[in-house]
């Protein structure tokens, strides 16, 4: 178990480092930098900046340095005192801008994962145990729709329908009164009245996939002899299924979190833009278009790190669930 | 145990099969998957539309008419009563009359049942070039009356015909999926092939890289890359740049499949035999291994197209993919981003239906091909 | 049959049982037809036959463990546990309380694959404990004590530690011993063993067989033993029933059946066993001609018709009756015919 943990941690440190490098490289790609974009904007408005002033700004943000030097300054700032640089556009440290929004992202995605499991598990079990029943077919159809409907389209349709039927516009995560309040029960309630829609949108695709996987896994497991053994003990049928094949079928399902999370983080970006949610997504889009490099780089990196941590958690759950992994047993 | 043995015994006798060619076997297997056969037709239809977009679409995608902004879909009617009162086949559309919405104080278009505009087939049109090559001056259908409105699926904010734009968008969206997959396939086959055939340190490095790329959330990555494209690039340049960006992630899945097949085949006896006969690596790969997993690769590639289409749609929808003059399903859906626009012109969501149908059909087709690729399996 | 309590009433009596498998696409397949078996308390009955002959299906039917699409379409399975009423198991529902009370408690079962028959994600101890807590309502700690002594009894070294191991950490022989410990946990009156030694290597096979015989004496339980290995039958059985494609073709005292097999199939089976003999006396092994047809192609009459060297007119059309032959019975037209003509078949 210890060796498993240490190995995992090492690979995570390496992955996070690679993510930071890739993130920084991507935001360095556009020709020019924030200042040229800024200049173009200013001159479009008829204002002027003196070359000396520009040079001073460039030195302040060390934009003139070679790529590796800039990267080193950025990453050492993060490691040394959690300084992710400053946003050019907002003229504020990146950390101030993102923590709240990143927290919202994590909260939404976490709730979406929870909803996915709570919905997909019973449906998947039902579909496998009652194979070829009406419910099974409905689950299959739902699975295909979840696969084919892009989440932003689903968000649009949901918004359209609630607007037409109830005359309300979905969007945001809080009502203005609670926007900046501290967490409390009323705020939580307020949050939930807003968050249900994005959570449904985010959870649908994943739920559909989890149902398909759970059904397939469980169908495989139900044929295994240990299920007959459990039945021959005299356990009631529901207990036979829940305690044995479902328990075994859960293991591969847990490991799917590894690739479910990147897609979930991806969809939360685009869904947040459509539904105007105060998460990291819209901020990323804005910072990318305005070449606000430290802000964009930090968000890309932290979203990557988020998925890595999520995958680590799923690995740990898997190790806890599956003795064959925990004890390094061969199979 | 016994029950299984019994049911196996009762399977239809498998005689004559060995006399069939591999292709015939696959085709037979494919035809058993009824959804896949249907999907093959649908996908074929989609690509037919993409190929002959200029001929099929009644208008140019950029043709606008400020008189008919946000005109509602007219629908199309096929049966009409002629002068003597007999029912005849004569396609037509109703005209529009404009009304001022008293509540919103906005001009809206209502279908006017009193005016009929007949639709004719193979009507003359402005000269155009099919696929940019073949000069033509006939369109599949249209109205012969000048200035008669023809908005079967409605109009957008500039009075452009949604149907025509959808048809042209089909060409862009489907071709981007196809080209993106071909590109991914090139990367995937080369990298995955080397990795699987030679193994060793190269294989481990490639595996780590693939794992890394697959652990990243794709949309932020794509957004970052797409944002890096220079604004002054031409539409064609952006188009190809976007396909390249999509393939940067897309190749990993195909490389995984290719590598897996290579690893599985490498130890097969017939490959060892070929090698012992003194065949070169190149010959072993091209003559003995590739024909063996070609069908698997085609299936995997088909299954990769929907992902590409979805990605392009998402990027263009966010405004960082294809840009305005290019019409794709994504740029069309971008028009539907605003909820108030959507409420007054819900037909702008129709490109979404095209997306869903195409994705479903390609997925079923891919599933069918994957089953058929392995006609002896299961 | 009147259910009068008798001193030597059979523990398990299978009467005229037919088991059919239904499938949505094809016609029903009758996997087992007209099976009659009887097993006395403390005795061992071996079901022998090739794979696919219906021996496992028959045995599993006793506990309603066949797949959902298998139906006992005819007959009775009478189970008379000592000091208790006789129950017709065939009439019970698979998931009924009455059935579940029999399972594990009065009739226990062990399986062929000790690896896949134990749950991979639960410890061996937990899986045995469950049986005890389920049927006897013991507290977990008491159940574990019983488990450890059971493991000790079936010859698992270091039982207390082994109880905390997972199946993948044990050898095949140990797993099967754990399986046996689990089956014995509630002192069942009948143990059904479905090819328990097939997946083991030869030395372990012998050990497990010895263990089973020993435990059978200790616990006084009856055993329904399924195997395709005639050597195992000779070793362990009191009675034997030979099955071919869903039919019991010959059954009776194991010595009688082995010494003087009367059904052509049993005879052919005996001839296909190699014997150790001096070079001069060696005979060529004669395999049975042809292959087992599928249940769909089985004739209305005797299932062995297509491969029987003595087949004549009535064989394919009518099902032979049971011909009593002293200590055993066989179903063959040759025997019923000869009984009429007072002749002895070759």
């Amino acid at each position: 178990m210890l060796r498993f943990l240490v190995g995992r941690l090492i690979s995570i440190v390496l992955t996070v480092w690679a993510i930071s490098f890739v993130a920084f490289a991507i935001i360095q790609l556009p020709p020019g930098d924030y200042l040229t974009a800024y200049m173009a904007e200013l001159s479009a408005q008829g204002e002027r900046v003196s070359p000396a002033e520009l040079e001073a700004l460039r030195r302040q943000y060390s934009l003139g340095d070679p790529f590796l030097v800039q990267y080193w300054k950025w990453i050492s700032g993060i490691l040394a005192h959690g300084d992710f640089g400053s946003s050019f556009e907002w003229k504020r440290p990146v950390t101030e801008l993102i923590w709240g929004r990143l927290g919202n992202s994590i909260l939404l995605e976490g709730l979406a994962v929870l909803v996915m499991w709570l919905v997909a598990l019973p449906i998947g079990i039902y579909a496998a145990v009652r194979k070829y029943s009406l419910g099974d077919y409905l689950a299959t159809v739902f699975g295909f729709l979840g696969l084919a409907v892009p989440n932003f389209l689903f968000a649009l349709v949901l918004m359209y329908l609630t607007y037409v039927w109830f005359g309300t516009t979905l969007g945001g995560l809080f009502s203005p009164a609670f926007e900046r309040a501290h967490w409390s029960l009323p705020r939580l309630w307020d949050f939930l009245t807003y968050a249900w829609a994005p959570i449904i949108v985010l959870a649908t695709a994943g739920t559909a996939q989890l149902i398909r996987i759970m059904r397939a896994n469980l169908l495989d497991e139900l044929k295994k002899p240990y299920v007959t053994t459990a039945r021959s003990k005299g356990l009631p049928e529901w207990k036979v299924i829940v305690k044995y094949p479902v328990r075994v079928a859960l293991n591969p399902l847990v490991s799917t979190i590894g690739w479910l999370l990147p897609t979930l983080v991806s969809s939360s970006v685009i869904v947040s833009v459509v539904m105007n949610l105060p998460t990291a997504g819209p901020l990323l889009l804005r910072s990318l278009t305005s070449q606000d490099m430290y802000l964009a780089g930090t968000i890309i990196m932290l979203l990557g790190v988020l998925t890595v941590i999520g995958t680590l958690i799923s690995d740990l759950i898997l190790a806890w669930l599956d003795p064959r992994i925990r004890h390094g047993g061969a199979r | 145990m016994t029950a299984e043995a019994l049911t196996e015994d009762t399977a239809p006798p498998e005689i004559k099969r060995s006399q069939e060619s591999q292709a015939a076997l696959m085709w037979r297997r494919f035809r058993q998957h009824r959804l896949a056969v249907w999907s093959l037709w649908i996908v074929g239809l989609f690509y037919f539309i993409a190929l002959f977009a200029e001929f099929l679409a009644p208008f140019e995608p950029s043709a606008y008419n400020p008189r008919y902004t946000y005109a509602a879909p007219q629908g199309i009617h096929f049966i009409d009563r002629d002068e003597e009162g007999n029912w005849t086949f004569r396609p037509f559309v109703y005209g529009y009359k404009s009304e001022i919405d008293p509540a919103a104080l906005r001009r809206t278009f209502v279908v006017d049942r009193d005016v009929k505009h007949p639709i004719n087939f193979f009507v003359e049109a402005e000269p155009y070039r099919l696929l940019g090559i073949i000069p033509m001056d006939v369109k599949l259908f249209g109205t012969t009356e000048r200035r008669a409105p023809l908005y079967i699926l409605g109009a957008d904010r500039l009075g452009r015909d949604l149907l025509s734009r959808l048809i042209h968008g089909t060409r862009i969206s489907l071709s981007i999926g196809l080209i993106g997959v071909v590109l991914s396939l090139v990367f995937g086959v080369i990298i995955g092939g080397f990795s699987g055939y030679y193994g060793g340190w190269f294989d481990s490095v490639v595996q780590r890289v693939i794992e890394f790329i697959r652990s990243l959330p794709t949309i932020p990555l794509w957004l970052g890359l797409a944002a890096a494209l220079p604004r002054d690039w031409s539409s064609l340049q952006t188009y190809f740049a976007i396909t390249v960006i999509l393939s940067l992630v897309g190749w990993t899945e195909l490389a995984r499949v290719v590598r897996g097949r290579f690893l599985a085949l490498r130890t097969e006896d017939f490959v060892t035999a070929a090698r012992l006969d003194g065949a070169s690596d190149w010959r072993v790969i091209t003559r003995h291994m590739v024909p063996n997993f070609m069908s698997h690769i085609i299936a995997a590639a088909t299954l990769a197209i929907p992902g590409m289409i979805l990605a392009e749609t998402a990027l263009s929808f966010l405004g960082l993919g294809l840009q305005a003059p290019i019409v794709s399903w994504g740029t069309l859906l971008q028009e539907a981003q605003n909820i108030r626009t959507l409420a007054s012109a819900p037909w702008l969501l129709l490109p979404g239906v095209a997306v869903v149908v195409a994705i479903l059909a390609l997925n079923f087709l891919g599933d069918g091909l994957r089953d058929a690729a392995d006609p002896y399996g299961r | 049959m009147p259910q009068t309590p008798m001193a030597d009433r059979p523990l398990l009596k299978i009467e005229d049982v037919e088991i059919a498998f239904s499938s949505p696409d094809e016609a029903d397949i009758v996997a087992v037809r007209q099976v009659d078996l009887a097993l006395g308390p403390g005795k061992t009955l071996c079901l022998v036959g090739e794979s696919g002959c219906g021996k496992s299906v028959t045995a599993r039917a006793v506990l309603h463990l066949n797949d959902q699409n298998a139906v006992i379409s005819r007959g009775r399975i009478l189970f008379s546990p000592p000091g208790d009423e006789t129950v017709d198991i065939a009439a019970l529902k698979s998931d009924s309380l009455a059935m579940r009370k029999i399972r594990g408690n009065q009739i226990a079962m062990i399986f062929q694959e000790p690896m896949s028959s134990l749950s991979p994600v639960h410890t061996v101890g937990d899986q045995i404990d469950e049986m005890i807590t389920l049927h006897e309502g013991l507290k977990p700690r008491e159940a574990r004590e019983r488990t450890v002594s059971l493991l000790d009894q079936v010859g698992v070294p270091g039982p207390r530690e082994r109880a905390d191991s997972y199946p993948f950490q044990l050898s095949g022989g140990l797993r099967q011993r754990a399986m046996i410990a689990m089956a014995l946990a509630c002192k069942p009156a009948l143990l059904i063993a479905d090819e328990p030694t097939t997946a083991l290597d030869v030395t372990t096979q012998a050990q497990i067989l010895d263990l089973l015989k020993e435990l059978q004496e200790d616990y006084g339980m009856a055993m329904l033993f399924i195997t395709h290995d005639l050597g195992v039958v000779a070793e362990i059985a009191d009675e034997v029933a030979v099955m071919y494609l869903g039919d019991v073709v010959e059954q009776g005292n194991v010595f009688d059946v082995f010494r003087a097999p009367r059904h052509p199939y049993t005879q052919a089976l005996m001839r296909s066993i190699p014997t150790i003999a001096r070079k001069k006396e060696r005979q060529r092994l004669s395999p049975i001609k042809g292959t087992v047809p599928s249940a769909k192609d089985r004739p209305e009459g005797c299932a062995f018709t297509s491969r029987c060297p003595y087949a004549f007119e009535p064989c394919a059309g009518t099902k032979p009756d049971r011909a009593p032959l002293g200590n055993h019975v066989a179903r063959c037209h040759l025997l019923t015919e000869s009984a009429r003509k007072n002749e002895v078949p070759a």
Side-chain angles (χ1 to χ4, degrees):
Chain A
M1 187 66 189
L2 196 68
R3 247 181 58 192
F4 171 80
L5 264 182
V6 171
R8 274 267 140 234
L9 280 176
I10 291 174
S11 92
I12 275 177
V13 169
L14 284 177
T15 317
V16 168
W17 170 76
I19 289 176
S20 77
F21 194 81
V22 168
F24 200 76
I26 287 176
I27 53 168
Q28 284 279 347
L29 279 180
D33 49 44
Y34 174 74
L35 289 178
T36 36
Y38 184 57
M39 277 284 292
E41 201 181 309
L42 282 185
S43 51
Q45 289 166 2
E47 285 181 46
R48 266 196 208 164
V49 186
S50 71
E53 212 175 324
L54 197 68
E55 202 42 52
L57 279 171
R58 185 156 279 160
R59 199 163 316 120
Q60 184 193 335
Y61 292 117
S62 45
L63 290 177
D65 293 341
F67 169 74
L68 282 179
V69 175
Q70 286 195 46
Y71 172 72
W72 172 247
K73 281 184 179 166
W74 185 59
I75 200 78
S76 55
I78 296 173
L79 289 177
H81 22 76
D83 176 16
F84 289 85
S86 327
S87 157
F88 300 127
E89 197 180 12
W90 304 76
K91 305 270 183 291
R92 275 160 59 195
V94 167
T95 35
E96 267 181 42
L97 291 166
I98 56 167
W99 284 134
R101 284 177 168 257
L102 207 65
N104 287 344
S105 289
I106 296 174
L107 190 63
L108 267 187
E109 283 150 21
L111 285 173
V113 169
L114 204 68
V115 169
M116 267 181 218
W117 279 74
L118 288 182
V119 176
L121 225 56
I123 297 183
I125 294 172
Y126 178 86
V129 174
R130 297 260 178 279
K131 196 180 163 191
Y132 302 138
S133 66
L134 181 69
D136 181 23
Y137 282 118
L138 286 180
T140 310
V141 170
F142 172 72
F144 281 125
L145 283 181
L147 180 88
V149 179
N151 42 54
F152 69 90
L153 187 65
F154 183 35
L156 281 176
V157 171
L158 199 64
M159 286 166 82
Y160 171 69
L161 291 181
T162 44
Y163 185 77
V164 172
W165 289 342
F166 309 112
T168 49
T169 17
L170 293 176
L173 283 178
F174 300 101
S175 48
F178 286 103
E179 188 100 51
R180 300 190 175 278
H182 284 283
W183 279 106
S184 61
L185 264 179
R187 189 177 194 240
L188 185 69
W189 175 248
D190 181 67
F191 169 76
L192 287 179
T193 56
Y194 280 85
W196 64 269
I199 289 175
I200 289 180
V201 171
L202 285 180
T204 303
T207 307
Q209 269 174 321
L210 283 183
I211 290 176
R212 277 164 64 125
I213 299 169
M214 183 68 197
R215 178 179 181 274
N217 285 348
L218 190 53
L219 279 179
D220 279 352
E221 293 301 327
L222 281 173
K223 287 185 212 132
K224 299 258 173 88
Y226 69 84
V227 184
T228 313
T229 309
R231 213 169 272 139
S232 80
K233 284 177 168 182
L235 289 169
E237 186 65 19
W238 66 268
K239 204 169 176 187
V240 168
I241 287 173
V242 172
K243 187 166 176 187
Y244 292 97
V246 166
R247 173 72 178 65
V248 179
L250 273 183
N251 297 349
L253 201 63
V254 169
S255 59
T256 59
I257 293 185
W259 52 260
L260 211 62
L261 266 182
T263 3
L264 187 65
V265 170
S266 279
S267 16
S268 95
V269 169
I270 189 163
V271 168
S272 298
V273 172
V274 176
M275 306 189 92
N276 194 20
L277 309 177
T279 66
L283 197 62
L284 171 67
L285 195 63
R286 173 89 195 109
S287 59
L288 280 173
T289 35
S290 64
Q291 288 199 15
D292 196 346
M293 58 179 260
Y294 289 121
L295 184 55
T298 305
I299 296 177
I300 292 183
M301 182 178 99
L302 289 183
L303 288 182
V305 170
L306 203 64
T307 59
V308 171
I309 292 174
T311 315
L312 172 72
I313 293 174
S314 89
D315 279 349
L316 291 181
I317 296 176
L318 191 63
W320 173 65
L321 271 178
D322 195 335
R324 287 166 295 188
I325 293 174
R326 195 164 60 230
H327 295 280
R331 161 76 199 214
Chain B
M1 171 71 207
T2 319
E4 274 115 62
L6 267 179
T7 33
E8 264 167 40
D9 283 346
T10 53
E14 301 186 14
I15 333 159
K16 284 191 201 163
R17 282 217 172 167
S18 55
Q19 293 156 18
E20 284 178 294
S21 73
Q22 180 83 359
L25 270 177
M26 286 184 187
W27 176 239
R28 192 160 83 180
R29 178 90 186 200
F30 179 75
R31 272 192 329 201
Q32 285 173 0
H33 202 313
R34 213 164 302 157
L35 262 176
V37 178
W38 275 102
S39 301
L40 180 65
W41 281 102
I42 293 174
V43 170
L45 182 72
F46 265 107
Y47 276 101
F48 177 83
I49 291 174
L51 210 56
F52 298 104
E54 288 97 344
F55 172 65
L56 297 172
F59 299 107
E60 291 300 308
S62 53
Y64 65 96
N65 187 344
R67 281 189 57 203
Y68 293 105
T69 58
Y70 290 128
Q74 291 166 312
I76 187 165
H77 306 263
F78 290 102
I79 309 296
D80 191 18
R81 223 178 255 261
D82 63 11
E83 288 75 19
E84 284 107 52
N86 298 321
W87 297 104
T88 54
F89 175 79
R90 193 171 62 182
F92 69 95
V93 291
Y94 289 115
Y96 286 109
K97 59 184 176 204
S98 71
E99 277 178 2
I100 305 288
D101 185 341
L105 287 178
R106 253 183 339 162
R107 203 164 57 125
T108 55
F109 290 93
V110 197
V111 174
D112 180 1
R113 298 223 156 225
D114 297 333
V115 188
K116 287 177 187 170
H117 303 290
I119 289 177
N120 300 78
F121 287 100
F122 303 108
V123 292
E124 274 182 46
E126 300 271 301
Y128 61 93
R129 282 170 186 271
L130 187 65
L131 288 167
I133 309 167
I134 310 156
M136 285 180 75
D137 56 1
V138 175
K139 297 239 178 194
L140 178 66
F141 68 96
T143 53
T144 38
E145 301 167 41
R146 283 183 69 79
R147 296 177 155 265
L150 181 63
Y151 295 110
I152 292 170
L153 296 182
D156 68 0
R157 71 194 149 88
L158 295 175
R160 293 176 294 198
D161 176 32
L162 187 59
L163 176 66
S164 302
R165 289 170 69 74
L166 193 54
I167 290 175
H168 282 275
T170 304
R171 168 178 289 176
I172 300 294
S173 288
L174 288 185
S175 67
I176 228 170
L178 213 55
I179 296 176
V181 164
V182 169
L183 222 59
S184 306
L185 207 54
V186 173
F187 287 127
V189 168
I190 293 175
I191 300 175
F194 264 108
S195 175
Y197 191 78
Y198 293 107
W201 65 268
F202 183 76
D203 185 40
S204 341
V205 170
V206 168
Q207 286 314 299
R208 292 295 90 71
V209 171
I210 290 181
E211 266 171 34
F212 173 67
I213 295 180
R214 291 174 73 81
S215 75
L216 293 177
T218 47
I219 290 267
L221 196 68
W222 279 329
L223 284 180
L225 289 170
L229 300 181
R231 295 294 146 83
D232 49 355
W233 275 13
S234 71
S235 328
L236 202 66
Q237 278 175 311
T238 346
Y239 175 88
F240 282 111
I242 293 288
T243 38
V244 170
I245 289 175
L246 297 185
S247 318
L248 280 180
V249 176
W251 68 270
T252 52
E253 171 64 23
L254 290 166
R256 216 177 50 79
V257 174
V258 174
R259 171 179 176 271
R261 297 311 304 173
F262 260 105
L263 281 181
L265 285 175
R266 200 168 57 164
T267 48
E268 289 279 341
D269 290 343
F270 70 88
V271 173
T272 317
R275 204 174 287 143
L276 291 178
D277 280 348
S280 65
D281 277 359
W282 178 249
R283 194 181 160 79
V284 168
I285 293 175
T286 52
R287 292 299 296 268
H288 296 275
M289 294 173 84
V290 170
N292 254 292
F293 59 70
M294 206 54 210
S295 45
H296 288 269
I297 302 230
I298 291 173
T302 312
L303 284 172
I305 299 178
M308 289 280 167
I309 295 178
L310 280 178
E312 180 275 322
T313 314
L315 274 188
S316 306
F317 176 77
L318 285 178
L320 280 174
L322 300 175
Q323 301 295 334
I326 312 181
V327 184
S328 78
W329 291 342
T331 54
L332 286 176
L333 282 171
Q334 210 184 347
E335 301 263 329
Q337 239 185 49
N338 187 317
I339 183 67
R340 285 179 203 286
T341 321
L342 204 54
S344 54
W347 52 90
L348 290 179
L349 276 179
L350 279 174
V353 177
V355 174
V356 173
V357 173
I359 302 299
L360 274 182
L362 281 163
N363 266 307
F364 288 135
L365 179 63
D367 277 349
L369 287 176
R370 192 176 46 194
D371 286 355
D374 207 358
Y376 302 105
R378 277 197 289 170
Chain C
M1 178 166 285
Q3 291 163 23
T4 42
M6 289 188 301
D8 57 342
R9 63 173 183 181
L11 180 70
L12 181 75
K13 194 158 172 35
I14 297 179
E15 288 179 355
D16 193 25
V17 158
E18 177 184 278
I19 299 164
F21 282 80
S22 61
S23 93
D25 312 323
E26 292 165 51
D28 287 6
I29 295 158
V30 180
V32 165
R33 47 179 203 180
Q34 280 200 340
V35 167
D36 297 280
L37 297 169
L39 173 59
K43 297 283 184 198
T44 300
L45 168 63
C46 269
L47 272 179
V48 210
E50 294 166 69
S51 51
C53 70
K55 54 190 194 298
S56 258
V57 175
T58 312
R60 278 160 195 243
V62 173
L63 282 177
H64 272 290
L65 289 179
N66 283 310
D67 288 346
Q68 283 181 346
N69 61 341
V71 190
I72 303 175
S73 37
R74 206 177 57 212
R76 299 198 293 175
I77 300 175
L78 300 173
F79 177 60
S80 322
D84 216 340
E85 292 279 295
T86 299
V87 220
D88 179 10
I89 290 176
L92 295 178
K93 281 217 167 10
S94 172
D95 197 32
S96 62
L97 186 64
M99 190 66 242
R100 296 206 311 262
K101 277 197 163 154
I102 295 175
R103 281 187 194 147
N105 193 18
Q106 291 172 320
I107 306 179
M109 187 154 179
I110 55 180
F111 299 89
Q112 179 176 350
E113 292 276 346
M115 178 73 208
S116 48
S117 296
L118 288 167
S119 161
V121 295
H122 296 91
T123 62
V124 168
D126 284 347
Q127 296 185 57
I128 304 176
D129 291 351
E130 184 184 35
M131 192 89 145
I132 303 166
T133 45
L134 181 72
H135 291 294
E136 309 201 348
L138 258 58
K139 292 204 181 69
R141 185 164 301 188
E142 300 163 348
R144 178 50 62 97
E145 285 309 310
R146 170 94 75 85
T147 299
V148 171
S149 75
L150 278 165
L151 285 174
D152 188 39
Q153 205 178 348
V154 297
V156 173
R160 200 166 290 278
E161 295 74 45
R162 289 300 159 91
D164 286 325
S165 332
Y166 290 91
F168 68 87
Q169 294 169 314
L170 301 179
S171 70
L174 281 186
R175 277 182 220 138
Q176 196 57 294
R177 283 172 195 269
M179 216 35 226
I180 294 170
M182 184 160 92
L184 296 179
C186 298
K187 298 195 168 60
L190 171 61
L191 178 70
I192 302 176
D194 189 353
E195 309 223 17
T197 57
T198 310
L200 304 173
D201 62 64
V202 186
T203 40
T204 323
Q205 268 188 27
Q207 290 169 8
I208 295 288
L209 280 183
D210 287 343
L211 175 68
L212 281 173
K213 276 203 291 195
E214 195 186 306
L215 292 168
Q216 185 181 20
E217 258 168 51
D218 294 352
Y219 282 75
M221 64 187 176
M223 209 159 27
L224 179 58
F225 199 101
I226 295 132
T227 182
H228 60 257
D229 186 339
L230 292 170
V232 171
V233 180
E235 176 113 349
I236 202 163
D238 297 310
E239 302 262 313
V240 63
V242 183
M243 287 190 77
Y244 181 80
L245 206 57
D247 286 341
V248 173
V249 292
E250 185 157 8
Q251 59 181 300
N253 181 290
V254 67
F255 295 107
D256 280 15
V257 174
F258 272 43
R259 196 186 315 119
R262 301 299 289 275
H263 192 280
Y265 176 64
T266 323
Q267 292 171 346
L269 215 53
M270 294 299 165
R271 276 201 296 273
S272 63
I273 309 170
T275 45
I276 299 172
R278 252 181 262 142
K279 209 165 195 176
K280 273 195 290 185
E281 294 161 16
R282 273 184 206 167
Q283 286 185 324
R284 214 158 234 298
L285 278 182
S286 55
I288 308 177
K289 296 253 162 13
T291 53
V292 188
S294 93
K296 268 200 318 201
D297 305 330
R298 180 177 50 200
E300 192 52 37
C302 173
F304 194 54
T305 311
S306 61
R307 298 166 76 189
C308 183
Y310 313 110
F312 61 118
E313 315 88 55
C315 288
T318 40
K319 190 123 201 268
D321 287 328
R322 287 147 64 102
L325 305 156
N327 260 338
H328 75 281
V329 290
R331 279 183 188 273
C332 179
H333 283 296
L334 284 173
L335 302 172
T336 39
E337 199 84 338
S338 64
R340 248 193 286 143
K341 293 182 187 162
N342 277 328
E343 278 175 20
V344 187

